[in-house]
């Protein structure tokens, strides 16, 4: 018996060892086979050489290291700059105060409007040196660039067009890439003006590729802004001043190809050839404006100086790489955010596998794009990433089929639609994609070196280049895995602070001069009234209303008795000097104005509670401003929940076309009729601009959006014009009118006959709860009234859920009629779930409200709010101010302020202000507030 047991044990041991041996052998064989298959697949770059791979040196490679700018002192690259400063900041700043613009007047007869066939093609280093000498003798020349970004990760300059008064030059930048530094001194010469149009991109691209920094810029697009031109596009300027039409489709051509076609040469020359003549015309207009306004002593606006200042502000930009905390992090966040907005939180919550696969695919796409120097959209589209993450294909055929099907959904007007699908990168590395989808690439911390070694290692399949060599050198870098998600859903990843972007933001938006001049104003009896700026001081002096009593700092004494004094308000805030520093942290190098009480509320305060009040406007640095703004947005949501007033108008619908609400079983779903104001405006704008050129599927999709606003009927171009301006503020309308060069007041007006018909047929949905049922959240006594006071009974089921009642009925009004400047808006808010912002807003010119059980009419429509909002019950009419845009928080702020004034009067406004000051103090913890600033400050 014992022998049998021993034999059994021995047999089991032998069998176990054999099984383990077979398993290990199979695993090793499988790994060897995968490596063999991977090595057999050659990268497409071995057969498809790219023009940029001939560059011997690039300043911006595809690594994750930051970009190094030129160091003027050493004449080389700044390896590790301590501070990110522009190498020519001093020269550019000086030009902003003292412009060096020397335009010679070009007569129309002398200028070659037809643009002859003569031009110089620069393709050798000798020719480039000769061009540099020619340009150094000019006082002004025009420049434009053509970029290529589809088959490059960061993009590169493919052609530079330069025009003088005598000659046009086309510089073959691909052939001369490593020698372009020859032009660096000319572009940096402050005595030579360079004319660009829309130079924001050109400035940083020249820095990125050649360390060329532009000094003394005249941007014709910025000049158009100063002169308030209807449009500022180059096409508009060419047609207006030169009578030349431009084919913008050629901008998307592949500018790497050599030789260029005749059409491409013509297009490239047009950009720069006419720019000098246009700049001369615009400069003459600037000087003419200065001469016309020189007779007005009160208006010291200098048009030439302002145009130079705005242009040279662009020169202060510095190129910086966009570096994520983890490869593809921002792309993954963007894709998941769109999915979240498109499907709702419930559809995305908990789908951690889908989210994780999206991040892995985005990380792989980012790394392979850097290795192969391709754009991410060329390698794998966002549509394909979503499709692969949803379907999780398991075979090569399924992977290819999923990508092809997803790419078919891309708009054919998009450049990506003409790309090969799947891309050569996916075909060369489909095994990586397969293992990535099957989650066989291991921990994400090892993801970076694994992909790099597979592509660029000793047995890698991809060739080394100046673009990806630095990636291989840093392949041992262990990236922090920051893509883990919460169990409950997607978490917004915190992006790594980009120092360069922050610096650029400060340069663009921070105050350019001191805010507080601390000039003093005294009463005629010598009592200090307040501190002010120099401009206000000079205003009193010019009108002989005061006399100067001190020079440093300036002080004046009024020659009349002021209406009020500081002691009248029992507050010494206005008689204290103030420092130009951030009130939060004390930063003094940069600061922005911050309004403690958001403007969406403050603009609706009674005039005497908001005019000439600076107590609630403080200075904050960029970092403190971001903290304060985030706290304010969060508290706005709390205000919306408290008062039952959503922050945004969710949907709008044309009341003249809205279906009649009836109690029949075949009731209409109003959610199908409404559309987001932003969606409506975007769709109408796209159809008006590019409708005929759009693919039929996309055109039909946008048309359906506009049709939902008009109740589903067919639409015309006139309907599109009206839809474009729905919910626009007067300021937005004027800006659109100026841009189009015509009056939308006429084009959007309903013809008299149609207008009369629309007034007779206007149908406004209004929900009114029976007062006896105000304590019942599920009350279903809902009635609808129409403009002819016909009462129609409906049920809650006929209207759908409260989430369906979140749209605004808008009647087209004649905006030239002052009587329609203020329309009645009625809002019904379902407060059970404030995250949905469920609301119903109706607008009409003239509406009568019908009360249940009472056939008398009221000239002001009633607004009844769901009783689940404890703080906001009762009938409060809301007069909508047509100056407010439906896209912002303006309607919300108006309703909140009106409600407070109706319930608590001006004392309620004071308490409301105090609440906002508490929010500011709790968020920022300010340590440098001016003396006299107080949360309990009374206006």
């Amino acid at each position: 018996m014992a022998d049998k047991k021993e034999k059994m044990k021995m047999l089991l041991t032998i069998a176990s060892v054999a099984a383990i041996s077979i398993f290990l052998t199979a695993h090793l064989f499988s790994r060897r086979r995968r490596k063999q298959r991977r090595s057999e697949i050659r990268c497409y770059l071995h057969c498809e050489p790219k023009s940029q791979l001939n560059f011997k040196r690039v300043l911006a490679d595809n690594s994750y290291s930051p970009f190094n700018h030129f160091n003027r002192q050493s004449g080389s690259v700044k390896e590790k700059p301590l501070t990110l400063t522009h190498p020519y900041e001093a020269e550019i700043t000086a030009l902003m105060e003292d412009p060096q613009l020397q335009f010679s007047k070009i007569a129309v007869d002398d200028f070659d409007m037809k643009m002859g066939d003569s031009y110089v093609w620069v393709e050798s280093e000798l020719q480039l040196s000769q061009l540099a000498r020619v340009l150094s003798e000019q006082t002004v020349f025009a420049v434009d660039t053509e970029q290529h970004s589809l088959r490059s990760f960061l993009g590169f300059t493919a052609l530079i067009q330069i025009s003088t008064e005598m000659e046009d030059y086309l510089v073959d930048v691909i052939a001369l890439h490593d020698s372009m530094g020859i032009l660096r001194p000319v572009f940096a010469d402050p005595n030579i003006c360079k004319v660009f149009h829309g130079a924001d991109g050109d400035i940083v691209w020249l820095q990125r590729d050649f360390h060329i920094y532009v000094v003394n810029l005249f941007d014709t697009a910025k000049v158009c802004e100063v002169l308030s031109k209807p449009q500022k596009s180059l096409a508009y300027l060419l047609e207006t001043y030169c009578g030349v039409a431009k084919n913008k489709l050629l901008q998307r051509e592949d500018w790497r190809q050599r030789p260029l076609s005749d059409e491409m040469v013509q297009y490239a020359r047009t950009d720069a050839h006419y720019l000098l003549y246009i700049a001369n015309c615009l400069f003459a207009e600037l000087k003419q404006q200065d001469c016309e306004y020189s007779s007005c002593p009160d208006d010291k606006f200098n048009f030439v100086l302002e145009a130079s200042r705005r242009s040279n502000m662009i020169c202060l930009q510095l190129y910086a790489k966009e570096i994520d905390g983890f490869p593809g992090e921002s792309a993954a966040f963007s894709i998941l955010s769109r999915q979240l907005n498109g499907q709702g939180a419930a559809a995305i919550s908990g789908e951690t596998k889908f989210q994780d696969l999206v991040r892995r695919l985005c990380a792989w796409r980012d790394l392979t794009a850097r290795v192969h120097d391709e754009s991410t959209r060329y390698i794998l589209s966002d549509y394909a990433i979503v499709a692969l993450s949803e379907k999780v294909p398991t075979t090569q055929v399924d992977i290819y089929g999923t990508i092809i099907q997803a790419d078919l959904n891309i708009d054919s007007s998009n450049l990506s639609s003409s790309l090969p699908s799947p891309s050569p990168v996916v075909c060369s590395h489909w095994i990586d994609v397969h293992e990535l989808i099957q989650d066989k690439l291991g921990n994400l911390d090892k993801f970076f070196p694994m992909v790099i070694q597979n592509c660029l290692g000793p047995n890698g399949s991809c060739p080394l280049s100046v673009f990806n060599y630095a990636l291989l050198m840093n392949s041992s870098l262990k990236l922090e895995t920051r893509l883990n998600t919460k169990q409950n859903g997607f978490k917004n990843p915190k992006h790594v602070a980009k120092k360069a972007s922050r610096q650029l933001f400060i340069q663009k938006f921070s105050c350019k001069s001191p805010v507080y001049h601390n000039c003093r104003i005294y009463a005629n009896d010598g009592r200090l009234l307040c501190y002010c700026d120099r401009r206000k001081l000079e205003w009193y002096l010019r009108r002989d209303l005061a006399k100067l009593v001190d020079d440093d700092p300036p002080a004046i004494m009024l020659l009349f008795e002021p209406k009020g004094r500081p002691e009248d308000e029992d507050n010494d805030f206005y008689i204290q000097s103030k420092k130009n520093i951030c009130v939060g942290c004390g930063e003094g190098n940069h600061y922005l104005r911050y309004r403690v009480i958001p403007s969406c509320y403050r603009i609706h305060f009674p005039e005497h509670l908001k005019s000439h009040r600076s107590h609630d406007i403080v200075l904050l640095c960029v970092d403190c401003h971001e903290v304060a703004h985030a706290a304010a947005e969060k508290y706005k949501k709390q205000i919306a929940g408290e008062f039952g007033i959503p922050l945004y108008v969710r949907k709008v619908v044309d009341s003249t076309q809205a279906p009649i609400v009836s109690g029949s079983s075949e009731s209409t779903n109003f959610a199908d009729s409404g559309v987001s104001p932003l969606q409506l405006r975007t769709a109408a704008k796209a159809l008006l601009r590019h409708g005929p050129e759009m693919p039929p599927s996309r055109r039909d999709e946008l048309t359906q959006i506009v049709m939902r606003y008009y109740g589903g009927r067919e639409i015309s171009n006139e309907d599109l014009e009206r839809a474009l301006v729905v919910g626009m503020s007067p300021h937005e309308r004027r800006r659109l009118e100026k841009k189009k060069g015509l009056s939308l007041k006429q084009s959007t007006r309903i013809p008299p006959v149609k207008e009369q018909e629309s007034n007779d047929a206007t149908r406004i949905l209004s929900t009114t709860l029976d007062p006896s049922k105000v304590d019942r959240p599920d009350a279903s006594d809902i009635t609808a009234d129409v403009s002819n006071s016909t009462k129609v009974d409906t049920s809650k089921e006929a209207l759908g859920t409260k989430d369906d009642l979140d749209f605004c009925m808008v009647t087209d009004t004649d905006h030239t009629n002052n009587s329609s400047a203020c329309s009645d808006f009625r809002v019904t808010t379902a407060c059970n779930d404030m995250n949905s912002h469920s609301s119903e807003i109706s607008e009409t010119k003239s509406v009568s409200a019908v009360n249940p059980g009472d056939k008398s009419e009221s000239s002001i429509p009633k607004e009844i709010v769901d009783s689940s909002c404890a703080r906001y019950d009762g009938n409060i009419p809301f007069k909508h101010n047509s100056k407010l845009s439906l896209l912002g928080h303006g309607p919300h702020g108006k309703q909140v302020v009106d409600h407070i004034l109706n319930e608590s009067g001006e004392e309620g406004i004071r308490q409301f202000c105090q609440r906002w000051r508490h929010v500011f103090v709790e968020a920022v913890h300010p340590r440098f507030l001016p003396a006299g600033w107080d949360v309990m400050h009374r206006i």
Side-chain angles (χ1 to χ4, degrees):
M1 195 70 181
D3 292 338
K4 287 184 179 181
K5 287 184 178 181
E6 290 295 330
K7 288 181 180 180
M8 287 294 295
K9 286 181 179 180
M10 188 175 293
L11 288 173
L12 288 173
T13 302
I14 294 172
S16 300
V17 171
I20 293 173
S21 301
I22 293 171
F23 174 77
L24 291 175
T25 303
H27 181 68
L28 291 173
F29 178 77
S30 177
R31 287 186 62 184
R32 187 177 300 170
R33 188 177 179 182
R34 283 203 303 270
K35 286 184 178 181
Q36 186 178 359
R37 277 196 303 172
R38 195 188 301 274
S39 61
E40 289 173 355
I41 300 176
R42 285 174 58 83
C43 180
Y44 72 100
L45 288 178
H46 291 288
C47 305
E48 185 186 345
K50 299 198 295 185
S51 56
Q52 65 263 38
L53 297 181
N54 294 323
F55 300 164
K56 296 179 180 179
R57 180 172 178 266
V58 291
L59 300 173
D61 58 27
N62 297 339
S63 69
Y64 294 93
S65 56
F67 181 77
N68 295 317
H69 280 272
F70 184 71
N71 188 339
R72 291 180 66 185
Q73 281 70 32
S74 62
S76 61
V77 173
K78 294 181 181 180
E79 293 297 337
K80 292 184 179 180
L82 298 176
T83 58
L84 191 63
T85 57
H86 197 290
Y88 297 91
E89 183 176 358
E91 290 87 343
I92 296 172
T93 305
L95 288 168
M96 293 169 65
E97 302 296 332
D98 182 21
Q100 300 294 320
L101 303 175
Q102 300 179 26
F103 287 97
S104 57
K105 189 172 181 180
I106 302 176
V108 178
D109 297 335
D110 298 335
F111 185 72
D112 182 13
M113 284 293 185
K114 292 185 178 180
M115 194 173 69
D117 298 330
S118 173
Y119 69 94
V120 178
W121 178 261
V122 181
E123 60 181 350
S124 68
E125 191 170 334
L126 177 61
Q127 289 176 304
L128 189 65
S129 300
Q130 292 173 348
L131 173 61
R133 284 195 295 272
V134 171
L135 295 179
S136 65
E137 297 171 356
Q138 306 294 316
T139 58
V140 59
F141 59 85
V143 188
D144 191 32
T145 69
E146 301 299 339
Q147 303 290 315
H148 181 79
S149 59
L150 178 62
R151 302 297 305 276
S152 173
F153 184 74
L154 296 176
F156 62 89
T157 306
L159 187 73
I160 293 181
Q161 307 96 282
I162 300 176
S163 289
T164 65
E165 292 183 10
M166 303 301 296
E167 194 65 80
D168 297 335
Y169 300 88
L170 299 183
V171 183
D172 185 357
V173 176
I174 295 178
L176 296 170
H177 182 275
D178 300 321
S179 306
M180 288 301 295
I182 293 173
L183 295 181
R184 189 178 302 135
V186 177
F187 277 83
D189 190 340
N191 297 313
I192 304 175
C193 177
K194 297 86 187 173
V195 179
F196 284 77
H197 181 86
D200 301 77
D202 299 302
I203 294 295
V204 293
W205 292 331
L206 291 173
Q207 295 175 12
R208 174 197 65 195
D209 294 335
F210 318 116
H211 274 167
I212 289 178
Y213 298 84
V214 178
V215 180
N216 194 355
L217 170 67
F218 188 81
D219 191 328
T220 50
K222 295 299 180 183
V223 179
C224 288
E225 293 178 2
V226 176
L227 293 172
S228 299
K229 293 288 184 182
Q231 299 180 38
K232 61 177 183 179
S233 67
L234 182 56
Y236 165 78
L237 294 176
L238 285 170
E239 187 173 351
T240 302
Y241 291 95
C242 307
V244 175
K246 186 178 179 183
N247 183 6
K248 292 297 292 183
L249 294 177
L250 288 171
Q251 189 175 22
R252 291 188 170 186
E253 289 294 317
D254 186 354
W255 290 96
R256 299 174 303 165
Q257 73 178 55
R258 297 292 185 270
L260 298 177
S261 65
D262 293 340
E263 292 80 8
M264 294 174 72
V265 170
Q266 182 81 2
Y267 174 89
R269 289 185 59 201
T270 300
D271 282 356
H273 176 82
Y274 294 100
L275 205 51
L276 272 184
Y277 176 74
I278 293 172
N280 273 274
C281 296
L282 294 175
F283 183 70
E285 292 181 29
L286 290 171
K287 295 188 71 174
Q288 182 181 355
Q289 291 287 344
D290 281 336
C291 292
E292 291 178 0
Y293 284 88
S294 61
S295 58
C296 303
D298 294 343
D299 196 339
K300 294 188 176 182
F301 188 82
N302 188 309
F303 284 83
V304 173
L305 182 63
E306 181 63 17
S308 176
R309 187 188 69 81
R310 294 191 188 186
S311 297
N312 283 291
M313 275 295 295
I314 302 174
C315 295
L316 288 174
Q317 295 183 89
L318 284 173
Y319 173 74
K321 291 183 182 179
E322 294 184 5
I323 302 175
D324 293 334
F326 193 89
E329 182 182 51
S330 59
F333 175 58
S334 177
I335 293 173
L336 291 173
S337 297
R338 288 198 300 270
Q339 289 293 105
L340 183 67
N341 294 333
Q343 300 180 14
I348 299 297
S349 178
E351 295 186 9
T352 54
K353 184 177 181 181
F354 168 81
Q355 297 166 7
D356 184 65
L357 191 49
V358 167
R359 296 185 184 92
R360 286 175 176 268
L361 287 170
C362 286
W364 176 84
R365 182 178 68 172
D366 182 88
L367 286 172
T368 51
R370 293 173 185 271
V371 168
H372 298 85
D373 194 36
E374 303 281 9
S375 64
T376 55
R377 71 180 186 275
Y378 177 81
I379 291 179
L380 195 63
S381 68
D382 289 350
Y383 291 89
I385 287 179
V386 171
L388 290 172
S389 302
E390 288 177 342
K391 297 181 180 180
V392 193
T394 56
T395 66
Q396 180 182 7
V397 174
D398 290 342
I399 290 173
Y400 287 2
T402 302
I403 295 173
I404 293 171
Q405 187 60 40
D407 288 341
L408 288 176
N409 297 326
I410 299 178
D411 198 352
S412 61
S413 66
N414 193 312
L415 184 62
S416 303
S417 61
S418 61
L419 302 180
S421 179
S423 69
V425 183
V426 173
C427 294
S428 297
H429 301 278
W430 74 268
I431 296 177
D432 288 340
V433 178
H434 178 265
E435 292 182 348
L436 188 76
I437 294 174
Q438 299 302 318
D439 197 13
K440 295 180 179 179
L441 288 186
N443 194 312
L444 283 176
D445 283 333
K446 301 177 181 178
F447 182 78
F448 178 86
M450 184 184 304
V451 173
I452 297 300
Q453 289 299 323
N454 287 342
C455 293
L456 303 176
N459 298 318
S461 59
C462 307
L464 280 171
S465 70
V466 291
F467 294 96
N468 60 30
Y469 182 74
L471 285 171
L472 180 62
M473 292 299 96
N474 297 324
S475 62
S476 60
L477 176 66
K478 183 177 180 180
L479 296 176
E480 179 185 1
T481 303
R482 306 190 322 144
L483 300 176
N484 294 329
T485 58
K486 287 187 174 181
Q487 202 169 12
N488 294 331
F490 175 65
K491 179 184 178 183
N492 182 348
K494 295 181 179 179
H495 295 276
V496 176
K498 302 179 181 67
K499 186 175 181 180
S501 298
R502 180 180 180 275
Q503 187 68 21
L504 178 59
F505 181 88
I506 292 171
Q507 290 175 353
K508 278 191 173 183
F509 299 108
S510 62
C511 299
K512 303 301 184 295
S513 60
V515 175
Y516 302 124
H517 296 166
N518 290 318
C519 301
R520 294 158 293 165
I521 298 181
Y522 292 95
N524 50 13
D525 60 358
R527 298 282 296 277
L528 180 62
L529 292 176
C530 66
Y531 283 83
C532 68
D533 59 12
R534 290 179 181 271
R535 189 165 55 178
K536 186 172 184 180
L537 217 67
E538 293 170 356
W539 187 91
Y540 282 108
L541 292 173
R542 284 198 304 268
R543 288 161 176 77
D544 295 327
L545 298 175
K547 62 180 181 180
L548 189 67
V549 295
D550 201 351
D551 292 325
D552 190 21
I556 60 171
M557 179 178 290
L558 300 181
L559 301 178
F560 60 92
E561 177 59 30
K563 287 184 179 180
R565 292 174 179 260
E567 56 266 24
D568 298 339
E569 299 188 8
D570 192 26
N571 188 284
D572 60 352
F573 171 80
Y574 297 102
I575 57 174
Q576 302 289 334
S577 63
K578 300 171 183 64
K579 295 181 179 180
N580 289 290
I581 60 174
C582 169
V583 300
C585 62
E587 169 67 53
N589 293 324
H590 71 271
Y591 40 78
L592 301 85
R593 291 181 180 87
Y594 177 77
R595 287 163 177 79
V596 176
I597 301 162
S599 298
C600 66
Y601 304 112
R602 191 176 184 273
I603 59 174
H604 304 297
F605 288 178
E607 190 63 32
H608 63 282
L609 296 183
K610 65 179 179 180
S611 62
H612 302 290
R613 305 289 171 177
S614 60
H615 179 274
D616 295 316
I617 300 177
V618 296
L619 300 183
L620 291 178
C621 66
V622 169
D623 300 320
C624 293
H625 194 287
E626 184 178 359
V627 172
H629 177 72
E633 290 301 301
K634 183 177 180 181
Y635 195 66
K636 279 183 187 177
K637 295 180 182 178
Q638 185 175 330
I639 293 290
E642 177 182 347
F643 289 92
I645 301 173
L647 287 173
Y648 297 99
V649 175
R650 292 293 300 277
K651 290 185 179 180
V652 293
V653 65
D654 180 21
S655 61
T656 64
Q657 302 296 333
I660 299 178
V661 182
S662 66
S664 65
S665 59
E666 298 179 358
S667 57
T668 304
N669 186 356
F670 281 85
D672 295 337
S673 302
V675 64
S676 157
L678 180 59
Q679 267 189 319
L680 176 65
R681 187 178 300 182
T682 304
K685 185 177 181 180
L687 288 171
L688 285 170
R689 280 189 174 184
H690 311 292
E693 305 166 5
M694 285 183 177
S697 59
R698 179 60 174 165
R699 185 168 59 247
D700 292 342
E701 179 185 348
L702 296 178
T703 303
Q704 288 298 321
I705 292 175
V706 182
M707 288 173 62
R708 288 207 302 271
Y709 168 72
Y710 286 109
R713 69 169 175 82
E714 294 297 323
I715 57 173
S716 62
N717 279 341
E718 185 183 2
D719 294 325
L720 291 176
E721 291 280 1
R722 286 201 298 266
L724 180 63
V725 297
V726 166
M728 276 192 181
S729 65
H731 173 71
E732 292 172 326
R733 282 175 175 265
R734 285 193 298 270
R735 188 168 59 185
L736 182 62
E737 290 169 13
K738 179 182 288 188
K739 186 173 183 180
K740 294 184 66 175
L742 50 87
S743 174
L744 286 174
K745 294 180 181 180
Q746 300 299 325
S747 64
T748 60
R749 183 187 301 181
I750 302 175
V753 176
K754 187 176 179 180
E755 184 172 351
Q756 180 64 37
E757 292 173 357
S758 68
N759 286 341
D760 293 338
T762 301
R763 293 179 285 276
I764 305 298
L765 180 67
S766 174
T767 59
T768 310
L769 300 182
D770 188 337
S772 64
K773 300 180 181 180
V774 75
D775 293 328
R776 291 176 52 190
D778 60 342
S780 58
D781 248 7
I782 301 178
T783 63
D785 65 86
V786 293
S787 58
N788 59 3
S789 301
T790 302
K791 182 176 176 181
V792 183
D793 294 329
T794 62
S795 64
K796 180 178 178 181
E797 288 77 10
L799 294 175
T801 63
K802 290 181 180 180
D803 289 340
D804 295 327
L805 300 178
D806 59 347
F807 58 88
C808 162
M809 287 192 173
V810 181
T811 299
D812 289 316
T813 59
D814 184 356
H815 291 273
T816 61
N817 187 350
N818 292 333
S819 64
S820 66
C822 192
S823 306
D824 292 337
F825 259 68
R826 293 176 295 173
V827 180
T828 298
T829 307
C831 302
N832 295 335
D833 182 10
M834 280 310 300
N835 291 329
S836 65
H837 301 301
S838 301
S839 64
E840 174 197 344
I841 306 177
S842 303
E843 179 185 28
T844 184
K845 285 203 263 182
S846 176
V847 180
S848 299
V850 182
N851 298 328
D854 184 3
K855 296 184 179 181
S856 63
E857 294 186 359
S858 170
S859 60
I860 301 177
K862 287 194 175 184
E863 177 191 52
I864 305 298
V865 181
D866 195 309
S867 58
S868 61
C869 304
R871 292 293 187 92
Y872 192 37
D873 52 2
N875 303 337
I876 301 170
F878 169 45
K879 288 284 188 178
H880 170 64
N881 187 348
S882 64
K883 294 182 179 180
L884 304 178
S885 170
L886 288 181
L887 296 185
H889 295 166
H892 159 82
K894 170 68 174 169
Q895 279 191 276
V896 169
V897 172
D898 284 354
H899 174 63
I900 294 174
L901 288 172
N902 186 75
E903 292 293 319
S904 308
E906 293 184 0
E907 183 59 32
I909 295 295
R910 294 187 178 94
Q911 294 176 5
F912 187 68
C913 293
Q914 291 169 9
R915 292 171 61 180
W916 278 104
R917 294 186 196 116
H918 274 294
V919 172
F920 170 72
V921 171
E922 290 297 321
V924 179
H925 302 290
R927 295 175 291 143
F928 300 92
L929 284 167
W933 196 95
D934 187 10
V935 170
M936 306 306 293
H937 174 75
R938 293 183 62 83
I939 305 176

